[in-house]
Amino acid sequence: MIDLVVNEIFHSIQGESSYAGRPCVFVRLSACNLRCAWCDTAYAFTGGTSMSLDSILSTISSYACDLVEVTGGEPLLQPGCYDLMTALCDGGSEVLLETGGSLAIGRVDPRVHRIVDVKCPGSGMADRNLWTNIPLLTPRDEVKFVIADHADFLWACEIEQRYGLSSRCPVHFSPVFGVLSPTDLAAWMLETGVRGRLQIQLQKYLWDPQRRGV
Ligand code: SF4
């Protein structure tokens, strides 16, 4: 019997990545090994409810939604996460994994779209990036830089170039909500011609940004 510690399962509009705008079921697993300075889901660091794989799958299926994101916290901390993603794929769901980029992604079911953060210096976690993940990225995966300031932006541009990220997969530049203006980030992207996409966190504009479960 596989159990996972689940912080929340909810149905909302996907706010990030190339899938933004689509209805999506989110499974947020508890605990994280990182402590990003701007983290907006610190409530997932602790607590949660132990649920069996069957119970999680049953809850997800109650929403009749074909897109499912497994997120956290850091979902890959829980060994059962791999079985959950495989079971979701087997059941016909389109599956996204949102991971902080500090843990190896090589064991993830190849049918899953892996959305991998590259932590910028402003997060305080840049030394935790697992660079050996980069060669594993394929066109079905995505990379996300969360940008707190201009120094983060320049750093992200340098990393994008050094690893040729945009030739591997979609690359997103996302401003820290309430810290960096999306307009400023848009202007920097246009000035530099960096190969990437501006991403705003759609959920912060649709719903109360302090609200959980969106
Ligand atoms: S990896 Fe995600 S959940 Fe963990 S501290 Fe950073 S932003 Fe928060």
Side-chain angles (χ1 to χ4, degrees):
M1 173 81 72
I2 298 166
D3 282 346
L4 292 106
V5 183
V6 177
N7 183 271
E8 57 185 354
I9 300 176
F10 59 94
H11 188 215
S12 188
I13 297 293
Q14 174 60 253
E16 304 187 22
S17 80
S18 300
Y19 299 82
R22 282 182 56 184
C24 181
V25 177
F26 294 81
V27 182
R28 188 181 308 288
L29 300 182
S30 294
C32 189
N33 58 326
L34 302 185
R35 291 293 182 268
C36 301
W38 35 252
C39 180
D40 58 0
T41 48
Y43 61 85
F45 290 167
T46 57
T49 304
S50 182
M51 294 177 70
S52 69
L53 184 55
D54 285 349
S55 171
I56 295 169
L57 294 172
S58 167
T59 304
I60 293 169
S61 67
S62 71
Y63 294 108
C65 180
D66 60 357
L67 182 65
V68 180
E69 176 171 300
V70 180
T71 186
E74 172 49 69
L76 293 181
L77 282 175
Q78 298 193 43
C81 179
Y82 297 94
D83 298 282
L84 170 61
M85 291 187 286
T86 293
L88 287 166
C89 292
D90 289 347
S93 294
E94 200 169 359
V95 182
L96 313 178
L97 166 70
E98 170 87 31
T99 176
S102 69
L103 302 178
I105 60 171
R107 276 183 55 213
V108 176
D109 190 302
R111 294 171 291 180
V112 172
H113 300 276
R114 302 170 297 192
I115 302 165
V116 181
D117 285 359
V118 176
K119 298 298 185 189
C120 296
S123 70
M125 295 289 123
D127 61 342
R128 304 291 294 275
N129 288 312
L130 187 63
W131 299 109
T132 50
N133 277 338
I134 301 295
L136 306 180
L137 294 169
T138 75
R140 60 186 293 110
D141 300 317
E142 307 197 356
V143 162
K144 178 175 72 173
F145 293 100
V146 179
I147 309 287
D149 54 26
H150 195 244
D152 271 2
F153 176 70
L154 294 178
W155 184 90
C157 290
E158 201 275 314
I159 295 295
E160 189 284 316
Q161 278 210 330
R162 187 191 307 172
Y163 291 96
L165 292 178
S166 58
S167 61
R168 293 182 179 278
C169 63
V171 176
H172 303 277
F173 291 79
S174 183
V176 177
F177 183 82
V179 172
L180 175 62
S181 151
T183 312
D184 287 347
L185 180 52
W188 299 339
M189 291 180 72
L190 292 171
E191 278 166 21
T192 58
V194 67
R195 296 176 69 197
R197 305 174 185 202
L198 175 65
Q199 170 186 278
I200 60 166
Q201 292 177 291
L202 192 55
Q203 71 273 22
K204 307 275 192 191
Y205 296 86
L206 287 173
W207 324 110
D208 176 353
Q210 304 302 324
R211 202 172 109 191
R212 292 189 187 189
V214 293

